[in-house]
Amino acid sequence: MTDAKPDYTEAGRRLFAREPEFYWAAAKSTDLPPPRGLEIAFAGRSNVGKSSLINALTGRNSLARTSHTPGRTQQLNFFDVSGAFSFIDMPGYGFAAVGKEKVSAWTGMIHDYLRGRVELARVLLLIDARHGLKPTDDPVLETLRTAAVPFQVILTKADELTAKQAEAVTAAISAKIARHPAAHPDVILTSAKTGQGIPELRAAIAFLLAERGALPDWVWK
C-alpha cells in the first residue's frame, strides 16, 4: 500500500488561519529588513486587485489596503505568516494616480528588490484576467528572466469572465510564459470576490514551503 499524498489544500488553509503580522516597510531598496527566512512577493500592475487578493488569501478584510485609486501601496510591506515565511506586498507598477517621479522611484525599487533579494523564493505575478498580459508587464518579466527569479502567474478578477473567456486567457498566458525558464507552469485563476482559486493558491504556497523545508509540522496536526 502506498502512502496517501499530503493534503496541501488543508495545510495551506491552516497556514493562513493565523493572522499575518506586519513587521517592516521599506520605501527604498536600501531600507530592506534583515533576512527572516523565505519570502514570497506579490507583484502586479496598479489596480490589478492585489490588495483584495491578499485580504482573501489571508482571510482578513483589511490586512492590505484596498482602494479604487491605483497607487495606494507606496512601499514594500513585509508580513510574517505563522513564522513560516514572509509575504511582501509590493507597489503596483504602471499607471498610478501620483507623480511620474514617484512612480519611477517605486519601479526602480521593485526591480532592485526582484534582482537582489536572496531570500525571495517566488514572485506571484498578478495579472487582471480581463486584460491578460500588457506591455507594462514586460519589464518585470524581463527582470525576472534575467535574474532567474522563480515566478507564478495568478489571474485576478476571474468572476468577471465567462468560463470560455477564462480558459482562453489562461491558455494564452501559459503559452507565453512557457518561454521563461523560471516560470511556474501552473496559472491559477482567482477571484477575491467569490473565493475562486484561493484554496489552490494557499496549497501552492504550502507546497513551495514544503519543497524548501520551511513548512511547519503543526499544519499537519
Side-chain angles (χ1 to χ4, degrees):
M1 180 182 294
T2 58
D3 293 336
K5 292 183 179 179
D7 184 1
Y8 286 103
T9 301
E10 178 60 14
R13 185 194 68 77
R14 291 180 179 179
L15 184 66
F16 283 96
R18 301 182 181 185
E19 183 166 2
E21 175 192 355
F22 170 80
Y23 69 89
W24 199 279
K28 51 184 184 290
S29 55
T30 54
D31 292 338
L32 295 176
R36 289 179 58 162
L38 295 182
E39 297 175 358
I40 297 174
F42 289 77
R45 296 193 302 268
S46 292
N47 213 26
V48 75
K50 176 168 53 63
S51 294
S52 295
L53 182 67
I54 289 174
N55 288 336
L57 182 70
T58 59
R60 303 299 185 272
N61 292 326
S62 57
L63 186 72
R65 297 170 65 185
T66 59
S67 172
H68 295 296
T69 303
R72 288 295 297 274
T73 302
Q74 301 183 15
Q75 56 198 0
L76 297 176
N77 293 317
F78 289 72
F79 294 83
D80 177 88
V81 180
S82 299
F85 76 102
S86 297
F87 78 74
I88 293 80
D89 182 10
M90 306 183 74
Y93 55 84
F95 171 80
V98 293
K100 290 183 179 180
E101 185 175 328
K102 182 170 285 190
V103 172
S104 178
W106 295 351
T107 303
M109 177 175 62
I110 290 168
H111 287 268
D112 286 345
Y113 172 78
L114 295 179
R115 281 192 294 259
R117 192 68 169 176
V118 175
E119 295 74 25
L120 183 56
R122 180 175 296 173
V123 173
L124 300 178
L125 182 59
L126 275 51
I127 302 294
D128 190 324
R130 301 170 301 175
H131 308 304
L133 288 165
K134 294 290 186 182
T136 49
D137 297 309
D138 290 340
V140 170
L141 285 169
E142 180 61 17
T143 294
L144 295 171
R145 185 191 68 79
T146 56
V149 176
F151 72 95
Q152 183 171 13
V153 171
I154 310 298
L155 295 174
T156 62
K157 306 182 183 182
D159 56 284
E160 300 194 27
L161 273 64
T162 65
K164 187 173 182 179
Q165 289 171 329
E167 182 179 353
V169 71
T170 302
I173 290 177
S174 296
K176 182 165 184 177
I177 66 170
R179 300 176 237 165
H180 293 263
H184 192 286
D186 294 336
V187 175
I188 301 179
L189 199 64
T190 68
S191 167
K193 183 179 292 186
T194 68
Q196 178 183 350
I198 300 301
E200 290 80 1
L201 180 52
R202 290 174 179 158
I205 291 172
F207 183 73
L208 171 61
L209 296 182
E211 284 187 316
R212 299 295 189 92
L215 189 63
D217 290 339
W218 55 259
V219 301
W220 303 116
K221 299 175 183 178

